[in-house]
Amino acid sequence: MTATVGAASNHPVVPFVDLHPMNAEVAEELDRTWRYAIETSGFIAGPAVERFEHEWARFCGTTEAVGTANGTDALTLALRALGVGDGDEDILPANTFIATAEAVALAGAAPRFADVDPRTLLLTPETITAAMGPRTAAIIVVHLYGQMPDMDAIGGLAASRGLVLVEDAAQAHGATWSGRKAGSFGRAGCFSFYPGKNLGALGDAGAVVTNDPSLARTVRAMANHGRWGSHHEHRLVGTNSRLDAVQAGALQAKLARLDQWNEGRRRASRLYDERLRALSGSVGLPRQLQGSRGVRHLYVVEVDDRDAVRRELGRRGVQTGVHYPVPCHRHQAFSRFAVEPLPVSERAADRLLSLPMFPHISPSQIERVCTELAVVVRKDKARNRG
Ligand SMILES: *Cc1c(COP(=O)(O)O)cnc(C)c1O
């Protein structure tokens, strides 16, 4: 059953994302996971969670991984456990999912928004330095769209200023900088396993990875009501943010295929790059730094008249997304932390357009997206001239 559009095209719709082929590949394992949980009545913690945590740490090249209920909690708990909260300022990019900013605020710190590089849309040592002040305690890098910034330079900057480096790797499962995995550079690396992420659960889930066993222990305690040692000893003010056994089992099954699925995304990106180069006058293409091997969580281009282009693509059966239409510091919830204009983030927010991207997207679907995009931007240009 494929949806088709009437007026503008009789081709099937190209979805923005399609999770079915991934879940179909692991259908048997998912069934086993449910059955095991029901048969053992083991829904929270237990061997499935331990196994996945072990494998996830190994995948990331860290010694520790602690499962959490979602990625926002992973960030919040990591920041709390690192003690970069009350009275501190934590630097983060303005163009990220709102959760990065929420975590900073929930940990008790003031988010200090930094601008980004216009080509990569990622933090740079320069944009971070511009946002530094006397109360700066931490830098939170976001590997937006699955691409990593220059982690040697940013790691060096954090070390030289005595700042805590944390990675929001929620879009970057398996991405590398100089061959080293996302999540393994900071004091803590934070992941989301929201279903649409490169590694997605059957609901909400997340994790913190680190090479610091004592930090891992604190995060684990905080995620489990502050329990320390025994069930009835609550040493910290914690919360309930545990990874469920069913989610861990599903993640374990999918982890075995993550590299292959990321390769599917890279293949799709290369096709987009090749095909869209011809439109370079009107479509800005994503760029990654030498040294970064991204995992293409999203394929994001820049266009004039983004909303009009998006509407017309939709009419022609090409579904798209926007990540993100409003930079964090322009949202009401965070506007009191906006201290200066951040022109690159603000301009990008009006121009960004996320094209269909998922591991199983076919070359003909990509061809179709590019053909429709070419027609739409050409029409849009002609209209603006006329
Ligand atoms: C998805 C995401 C998060 C939050 O993860 P949840 O699991 O949805 O709480 C945080 N940061 C970024 C960059 C994300 O994309």
Side-chain angles (χ1 to χ4, degrees):
M1 203 183 63
T2 18
T4 55
V5 284
S9 157
N10 48 21
H11 294 289
V13 168
V14 182
F16 175 59
V17 58
D18 182 3
L19 305 179
H20 286 105
M22 283 186 281
N23 287 325
E25 279 186 34
V26 291
E28 271 177 41
E29 284 117 303
L30 297 183
D31 279 346
R32 263 205 303 280
T33 297
W34 285 113
R35 255 182 288 124
Y36 182 79
I38 291 164
E39 279 161 17
T40 60
S41 292
F43 298 106
I44 291 166
V49 174
E50 282 168 28
R51 206 174 320 124
F52 173 70
E53 287 178 336
H54 180 78
E55 297 267 312
W56 185 241
R58 205 168 63 163
F59 178 86
C60 294
T62 60
T63 57
E64 319 287 327
V66 181
T68 59
N70 56 64
T72 310
D73 283 1
L75 281 160
T76 308
L77 296 174
L79 294 173
R80 280 190 61 203
L82 284 162
V84 288
D86 291 338
D88 291 329
E89 255 179 24
D90 296 347
I91 293 174
L92 70 158
N95 65 324
T96 176
F97 181 51
I98 203 74
T100 322
E102 287 172 327
V104 170
L106 290 171
R112 176 63 200 246
F113 296 106
D115 216 350
V116 290
D117 181 273
R119 290 155 306 156
T120 62
L121 301 176
L122 302 174
L123 289 179
T124 68
E126 292 72 32
T127 66
I128 293 168
T129 306
M132 275 184 195
R135 288 161 56 213
T136 305
I139 302 167
I140 302 154
V141 292
V142 180
H143 305 316
L144 197 69
Y145 312 148
Q147 315 291 87
M148 294 178 75
D150 184 339
M151 293 307 289
D152 296 318
I154 293 173
L157 176 66
S160 73
R161 302 294 184 104
L163 302 176
V164 169
L165 181 64
V166 172
E167 295 173 74
D168 179 343
Q171 301 188 359
H173 314 73
T176 61
W177 173 262
S178 286
R180 230 173 98 187
K181 290 267 172 70
S184 69
F185 288 83
R187 291 280 299 282
C190 305
F191 289 91
S192 163
F193 304 117
Y194 176 82
K197 305 284 160 119
N198 290 40
L199 180 62
L202 304 175
D204 280 312
V208 176
V209 298
T210 179
N211 288 315
D212 177 348
S214 121
L215 178 67
R217 185 172 193 202
T218 305
V219 171
R220 188 178 297 287
M222 282 180 168
N224 188 21
H225 300 296
R227 287 194 176 107
W228 200 274
S230 77
H231 194 75
H232 292 297
E233 184 188 354
H234 305 279
R235 202 180 283 186
L236 304 167
V237 177
T239 183
N240 176 357
S241 184
R242 296 170 300 222
L243 178 62
D244 290 344
V246 168
Q247 301 303 350
L251 290 166
Q252 175 85 28
K254 291 183 171 188
L255 178 53
R257 287 158 177 86
L258 178 58
D259 284 333
Q260 190 186 315
W261 290 341
N262 280 341
E263 202 41 54
R265 292 174 183 272
R266 292 194 185 104
R267 218 170 17 246
S269 286
R270 283 193 296 271
L271 279 179
Y272 272 131
D273 286 345
E274 282 166 25
R275 192 61 181 69
L276 293 177
R277 211 167 287 141
L279 300 179
S280 63
S282 31
V283 178
L285 300 188
R287 280 191 249 176
Q288 58 181 332
L289 297 172
Q290 193 85 41
S292 155
R293 186 154 192 265
V295 288
R296 303 296 190 174
H297 174 60
L298 295 167
Y299 190 91
V300 178
V301 298
E302 289 190 43
V303 292
D304 294 334
D305 275 337
R306 188 264 321 283
D307 294 338
V309 168
R310 181 162 194 239
R311 230 175 1 255
E312 184 58 23
L313 281 174
R315 227 178 51 84
R316 291 164 171 271
V318 173
Q319 293 181 349
T320 55
V322 179
H323 303 84
Y324 297 88
V326 179
C328 293
H329 65 293
R330 295 287 193 191
H331 282 287
Q332 190 181 335
F334 291 94
S335 56
R336 71 196 160 97
F337 300 107
V339 290
E340 66 207 344
L342 300 167
V344 176
S345 303
E346 285 160 25
R347 177 177 145 87
D350 289 334
R351 299 173 47 77
L352 297 171
L353 180 67
S354 307
L355 302 183
M357 172 54 76
F358 46 95
H360 297 77
I361 191 169
S362 71
S364 63
Q365 285 175 310
I366 291 174
E367 185 62 30
R368 168 88 194 294
V369 173
C370 296
T371 304
E372 299 291 2
L373 182 60
V375 173
V376 171
V377 293
R378 215 174 298 132
K379 270 175 67 171
D380 192 65
K381 254 195 171 161
R383 189 162 51 84
N384 285 343
R385 265 201 306 271

